[in-house]
Amino acid sequence: GFPVGDAFGTSQIKSSNRCASQYVVLNKCIRSSRASFVSSVKSSNSNSDVFEEKESYSETDDWLSGSFSGTEDSLKSELGQSNLTTQDDSVWEARATWLQERLSLKDKEMDKLVQRFPNILTLIPDTNLEPKLTYLQNRLELNDSKLRYTIQKYPQLLGYSISDNLEPTLLYLQERLQFNATKISKIISKQPSVLGQAVNGKLELNVAWLQNRLDLTNAEVSKMIWHQPSLLSYSVCDKMESNLNWIQHRLKLSNSQLSKMIKRHPHILAYSIDDKLEPTLQWLQEHLRLQNNAELAIIIEKMPTLFGCSIEMNLQPTLNFCIEAVGNAEVAISVLRNNPRIFSASLQNRLKPRLREAKKAGISIDSACLMRMAKYTKGKWTATLSLKKRKDGI
């Protein structure tokens, strides 16, 4: 689903008939060249309501609620009083060529841009596209390369009003969250769709909810959003609140424990309970031989980033490595239970090379050595190897 606020073609789909129409249009655009794609969009737009303005939606749908502040009149003005059925192909081609040259896009990149946001061709270069591109570049302090990247990542930005959407949102980030120009630029690069959220709608709703639910100071909520800007776009009821309630109940955490965990790893609010959170907890409980939820909670509190680790690519291979290194499963599991940060050490770049170095230096591979291999800085590890050589008279 798309957030409401893209004025020209990502409005809420309210019927199966409309979903089917959109699917046909998008598949046509993927299979066609730019010229034939424009033709197909024009034809489809004249026969369906895929690209209608925003309709009413459920008040319980947080994702859609208040995410675009422009009025219908402002949306029409953004379109330059044109639509996909009133111009001939030369107009579309001229606009596409102008934008391609302005952003230094390759043919395939331009085609993809049009496919993702067809109504970009309704925007007039002189009165709409150039002012917005100039505004974004100056306001966000973007060089040509970063501007191109931002527009490619989220071309809908060019459909937003400067006065109704872009500037109010940037001022909110600057004043409410105390982000400087550099931080704002990086946030928009990570999550450009933030600029499509209404300040008095989803933005303030999410910030206020996070602050109240987790008892955060202004500085703490700003830090969380800096590390995870997508928090500004998530649904409170359907995503963040459900994740918090689930993890708090699953691990029997107090409010203060929960707040501390989320502050350290706000990505928890983004993960799927069924696909990520629960499978990770089950794996830890089983393979680290944890007896109850209290022991599991201790592990997660020590290292909440475990939720971000892949079981297949990280957790299981690291466990296997530790068991093989010390030659005793009980010892390896005990080390990992007490020092779960070992899971964050790279197998290929740290653990395996250091194991080879330790063996070559004649160091006994026990639990203490395992922890040193994982935790020591490069300098400290090198000093350890040198000390062993001096002791052995090498």
Side-chain angles (χ1 to χ4, degrees):
F2 298 96
V4 175
D6 157 9
F8 327 109
T10 57
S11 57
Q12 182 187 18
I13 306 298
K14 299 274 294 183
S15 68
S16 59
N17 153 9
R18 187 173 304 152
C19 288
S21 297
Q22 187 182 50
Y23 178 84
V24 170
V25 171
L26 293 177
N27 275 276
K28 280 183 180 179
C29 85
I30 291 171
R31 293 192 302 267
S32 62
S33 65
R34 185 189 309 155
S36 59
F37 166 64
V38 169
S39 177
S40 71
V41 172
K42 287 164 60 180
S43 174
S44 298
N45 197 41
S46 64
N47 296 316
S48 72
D49 56 356
V50 172
F51 300 111
E52 283 184 349
E53 302 295 344
K54 178 176 65 178
E55 292 186 16
S56 60
Y57 48 84
S58 169
E59 291 180 355
T60 62
D61 193 337
D62 277 316
W63 171 258
L64 293 170
S65 178
S67 61
F68 190 82
S69 61
T71 64
E72 184 175 348
D73 289 340
S74 70
L75 300 185
K76 287 179 180 178
S77 68
E78 293 297 306
L79 281 168
Q81 299 300 325
S82 64
N83 58 56
L84 286 171
T85 63
T86 60
Q87 300 287 348
D88 59 46
D89 290 352
S90 64
V91 174
W92 311 127
E93 188 64 30
R95 291 176 182 175
T97 299
W98 182 92
L99 188 58
Q100 182 174 0
E101 293 176 353
R102 175 65 172 81
L103 295 176
S104 299
L105 296 169
K106 298 176 181 177
D107 288 346
K108 288 184 178 180
E109 291 174 332
M110 186 61 211
D111 289 342
K112 186 176 181 180
L113 198 71
V114 174
Q115 290 164 13
R116 292 188 61 194
F117 185 42
N119 284 283
I120 200 170
L121 298 180
T122 66
L123 303 176
I124 301 170
D126 291 343
T127 60
N128 197 306
L129 291 175
E130 181 55 45
K132 284 178 188 171
L133 290 171
T134 300
Y135 167 83
L136 289 169
Q137 192 157 22
N138 292 337
R139 187 69 168 82
L140 300 177
E141 300 180 356
L142 303 174
N143 58 29
D144 290 345
S145 177
K146 289 182 178 180
L147 177 66
R148 178 171 59 252
Y149 171 80
T150 301
I151 298 302
Q152 284 182 285
K153 187 172 182 179
Y154 197 68
Q156 288 87 347
L157 282 179
L158 295 177
Y160 295 144
S161 163
I162 292 175
S163 59
D164 292 340
N165 291 93
L166 301 179
E167 184 59 23
T169 302
L170 292 173
L171 283 175
Y172 178 87
L173 296 176
Q174 186 176 339
E175 296 173 0
R176 174 69 167 87
L177 298 176
Q178 296 296 298
F179 292 143
N180 59 29
T182 301
K183 282 192 172 184
I184 290 175
S185 179
K186 290 182 178 179
I187 284 175
I188 300 306
S189 293
K190 291 181 186 177
Q191 194 77 17
S193 60
V194 165
L195 290 176
Q197 307 297 338
V199 170
N200 295 323
K202 180 169 284 293
L203 287 183
E204 180 55 29
L205 171 69
N206 285 18
V207 171
W209 180 85
L210 286 167
Q211 201 158 9
N212 293 331
R213 179 67 171 84
L214 298 173
D215 193 23
L216 304 175
T217 64
N218 288 339
E220 287 171 336
V221 74
S222 295
K223 186 177 180 179
M224 275 185 61
I225 290 169
W226 164 241
H227 288 296
Q228 185 72 11
S230 57
L231 293 176
L232 294 173
S233 299
Y234 290 147
S235 163
V236 169
C237 295
D238 296 336
K239 188 66 177 176
M240 295 194 289
E241 180 67 47
S242 60
N243 277 27
L244 284 183
N245 289 341
W246 183 87
I247 198 71
Q248 186 168 22
H249 176 75
R250 179 72 167 81
L251 297 178
K252 304 293 189 273
L253 300 173
S254 66
N255 286 337
S256 61
Q257 288 174 311
L258 180 68
S259 178
K260 184 177 179 180
M261 181 183 295
I262 302 301
K263 281 190 289 186
R264 291 180 60 194
H265 192 54
H267 298 75
I268 290 172
L269 296 176
Y271 296 141
S272 163
I273 293 173
D274 294 335
D275 296 335
K276 188 67 174 173
L277 299 179
E278 180 58 31
T280 299
L281 293 181
Q282 288 182 0
W283 187 92
L284 291 169
Q285 198 150 19
E286 177 184 349
H287 289 80
L288 297 188
R289 301 176 188 177
L290 304 173
Q291 299 301 311
N292 49 53
N293 281 346
E295 292 185 357
L296 182 60
I298 291 173
I299 297 288
I300 295 297
E301 284 187 274
K302 285 182 178 179
M303 190 181 172
T305 52
L306 283 171
F307 281 124
C309 296
S310 164
I311 293 174
E312 296 78 12
M313 301 298 292
N314 186 286
L315 299 181
Q316 189 65 57
T318 301
L319 174 60
N320 293 342
F321 169 85
C322 292
I323 292 173
E324 184 178 346
V326 299
N328 185 302
E330 288 293 338
V331 171
I333 290 171
S334 176
V335 170
L336 288 170
R337 275 202 303 260
N338 294 319
N339 301 274
R341 290 184 182 277
I342 293 175
F343 283 113
S344 66
S346 169
L347 275 175
Q348 301 304 321
N349 298 326
R350 178 178 288 246
L351 294 180
K352 289 183 177 180
R354 289 186 174 185
L355 177 61
R356 290 193 295 267
E357 292 169 346
K359 287 180 176 180
K360 186 177 180 179
I363 297 174
S364 177
I365 311 301
D366 54 15
S367 60
C369 178
L370 194 60
M371 288 187 287
R372 289 195 296 271
M373 287 193 297
K375 292 183 176 182
Y376 277 11
T377 63
K378 183 178 180 180
K380 200 169 183 179
W381 176 250
T382 301
T384 299
L385 296 175
S386 299
L387 179 61
K388 174 62 176 173
K389 290 178 181 179
R390 287 198 300 271
K391 286 182 178 179
D392 293 343
I394 299 176

